[in-house]
Amino acid sequence: MSVAKIIEVTAESTESFESAIRTGIEEASKSLKNIEGAWVKEQKVVVNDGKITGFRVDMKLTFVME
C-alpha cells in the first residue's frame, strides 16, 4: 500500500506559465522524491509599468511517501 502527500508550491518565470510550472516542479524535485503529478490551481501575471514581467503559478504537487 502506498501513501501520497500533497504540498502547495508557488513558482515564477519571466518567460511563460509553462516555464513557471517546470521551474516549480524541478525545484521541488531537489528535496522531494516520487513526485507523481501536479495540479495548477491558479495562474497570475506580474505587471510593472503596464508590462507583463512575470508569470506566476500556484500548484499542488502529489508525491508518494517512502
Side-chain angles (χ1 to χ4, degrees), residues 10-28:
T10 300
E12 187 174 336
S13 169
T14 57
E15 298 170 15
S16 66
F17 287 118
E18 184 177 340
S19 178
I21 293 166
R22 286 187 201 286
T23 299
I25 292 171
E26 287 170 4
E27 287 298 314

Side-chain angles (χ1 to χ4, degrees), residues 1-6 33-34 36 62-66:
M1 175 169 85
S2 58
V3 175
K5 186 170 183 174
I6 299 172
K33 295 180 182 177
N34 304 321
E36 299 241 329
T62 304
F63 63 98
V64 177
M65 305 283 291
E66 291 184 341

